[in-house]
Amino acid sequence: MKLVFATNNLNKLKEVQEMLPDSIELLSLKDINCFEEIEETATTLEGNAKIKANHITNKYNYNCFADDTGLEVEALHGEPGVYSARYAGEPANAENNMTKLLKNLGESNNRTAQFRTSICLNLNGKQFLFDGICEGDILPSKKGEKGFGYDPIFQPKGYQQSFAEMNSEAKNKISHRGLAIQKLVEFLKKLH
Ligand code: IMP
């Protein structure tokens, strides 16, 4: 079965393909000649994942899944959440986003936060949602050089390292996206 992952991030694509049985062939957006930008206009992660998956299924007639991720900070009432990528404005910039988040959080004692990934799968006319959560804390300042996005200021619960101090294998095992993808893969494996 051919299944589109609505992404052009080849690292994400490879990671998921390696977890799937050979009977499922993952295709990227480029593979199906989808080059238009899909506007993420929803106010929830689930909504944006649905918009992306539905765009591909409706226009290109493929089974497809799409993901959307946000960092939800308790003391900021769930911000930046669905607006994580462009929290500090356009163009998206990870350094500016982290600086804005640290400034808004200030000296707050409540550093509780979570990354959340929502995945929407459109399969043979049915829709399925999967989610993955990684709980942790926002550090007082940036720590570590690896990863991307908010990794240098996020420390997962039970660990003494920020995401940016972990290698990708260690991060993927406990990360929001890793957990959501594991759920998706288990679901797909049961069908085969
Ligand atoms: P996306 O939905 O995967 O594109 O993620 C949206 C935004 O959330 C990204 O632009 C990053 O700012 C942030 N983000 C998503 N996943 C991670 C992660 O694993 N670490 C740090 N930041 C992330």
Side-chain angles (χ1 to χ4, degrees):
M1 174 182 72
K2 289 186 195 298
L3 179 63
V4 175
F5 183 1
T7 184
N8 277 319
N9 182 327
L10 293 184
N11 291 321
K12 278 192 194 176
L13 200 79
K14 186 163 168 270
E15 190 189 314
V16 181
Q17 179 72 75
E18 282 169 2
M19 293 165 78
L20 287 171
D22 289 344
S23 52
I24 300 178
E25 183 191 349
L26 273 195
L27 302 174
S28 70
L29 292 175
K30 191 165 157 252
D31 290 331
I32 60 164
N33 291 321
C34 170
F35 297 108
E36 68 272 18
E37 177 151 7
I38 307 168
E39 296 261 357
E40 298 179 24
T41 50
T43 54
T44 60
L45 299 172
E46 292 78 10
N48 277 340
K50 277 186 197 177
I51 287 177
K52 286 185 271 186
N54 288 347
H55 179 87
I56 301 307
T57 300
N58 296 339
K59 183 166 175 192
Y60 296 87
N61 207 19
Y62 273 103
N63 286 325
C64 173
F65 68 92
D67 68 338
D68 201 35
T69 295
L71 174 61
E72 300 171 335
V73 180
E74 195 171 88
L76 300 178
H77 314 290
E79 271 189 24
V82 70
Y83 306 108
S84 293
R86 289 166 184 80
Y87 188 42
E90 302 268 6
N93 179 298
E95 287 298 318
N96 294 347
N97 287 342
M98 285 189 285
T99 303
K100 177 171 177 183
L101 197 153
L102 289 177
K103 184 163 166 267
N104 285 353
L105 199 50
E107 304 284 297
S108 173
N109 286 330
N110 180 4
R111 317 293 296 185
T112 303
Q114 64 180 27
F115 273 112
R116 197 160 66 83
T117 293
S118 181
I119 292 180
C120 174
L121 168 70
N122 285 341
L123 187 70
N124 304 331
K126 288 196 182 134
Q127 191 159 70
F128 306 90
L129 291 174
F130 306 88
D131 78 342
I133 289 176
C134 182
E135 296 179 347
D137 288 301
I138 301 298
L139 295 167
S141 58
K142 297 165 197 165
K143 202 158 78 106
E145 306 292 329
K146 300 189 183 75
F148 70 101
Y150 297 87
D151 278 349
I153 59 168
F154 184 82
Q155 183 161 288
K157 219 181 200 162
Y159 292 79
Q160 294 306 315
Q161 294 171 304
S162 76
F163 262 169
E165 293 174 306
M166 298 181 167
N167 60 38
S168 56
E169 202 185 335
K171 180 185 161 188
N172 289 340
K173 274 195 192 133
I174 59 164
S175 84
H176 42 295
R177 195 172 16 262
L179 296 175
I181 284 172
Q182 278 171 33
K183 288 185 193 170
L184 170 78
V185 167
E186 288 312 310
F187 177 84
L188 290 170
K189 273 189 188 163
K190 281 195 196 131
L191 303 174
H192 280 76

